[in-house]
Amino acid sequence: MALIIGKIFPYLLLLMMIDSILSVEFSYPHYYYKKKSFHERLFYEKQEHCSQTSSCTAANGIMKDRCIRECISPNCYKILYKWDELEEGEVDIRLSSFKGCMVKEND
């Protein structure tokens, strides 16, 4: 029994180390965003306008999303996304902060 535990222990230790490395919390600048019809309309109007620009219509998938966000607010995009850009399939947990940053810029 002790022999089996001795063989398994290094692997368990390795798994615990990997888990602690991977469980680092993702942090980014937070901007308060209260979902109001005016703010939503402003965001979606800008999003619609930017999605029709020549540079964004040429893009597909995540590249199109990046292009549209950068067009909506280059400064907010730089603060929230430029240092760690969205990847294909990634859930965008920063979108609410992006909208809050955009609203703050337009106030």
Side-chain angles (χ1 to χ4, degrees):
M1 183 71 165
L3 185 60
I4 293 172
I5 292 174
K7 288 183 178 182
I8 295 175
F9 183 74
Y11 295 108
L12 291 175
L13 188 59
L14 180 62
L15 284 174
M16 289 171 44
M17 288 173 37
I18 290 172
D19 183 53
S20 68
I21 291 169
L22 296 177
S23 65
V24 173
E25 188 174 316
F26 180 71
S27 63
Y28 57 93
H30 291 273
Y31 289 86
Y32 176 74
Y33 178 72
K34 184 166 184 170
K35 195 173 184 175
K36 293 183 177 180
S37 60
F38 172 75
H39 296 151
E40 286 294 300
R41 188 170 47 252
L42 176 65
F43 176 77
Y44 288 110
E45 284 173 359
K46 286 184 170 211
Q47 186 177 32
E48 185 63 27
H49 167 75
C50 289
S51 69
Q52 295 173 7
T53 61
S54 60
S55 58
C56 292
T57 55
N60 291 313
I62 197 68
M63 296 305 288
K64 186 170 190 146
D65 291 341
R66 289 178 187 171
C67 180
I68 291 170
R69 300 248 169 85
E70 192 163 14
C71 171
I72 290 171
S73 173
N75 185 49
C76 293
Y77 184 84
K78 180 181 176 187
I79 292 168
L80 289 159
Y81 293 104
K82 202 64 170 181
W83 56 276
D84 183 28
E85 296 205 353
L86 283 175
E87 297 174 7
E88 199 68 52
E90 179 181 355
V91 175
D92 186 7
I93 61 173
R94 297 173 276 184
L95 181 57
S96 184
S97 283
F98 180 78
K99 289 179 179 180
C101 180
M102 180 208 66
V103 167
K104 188 175 179 182
E105 273 188 344
N106 287 287
D107 281 344

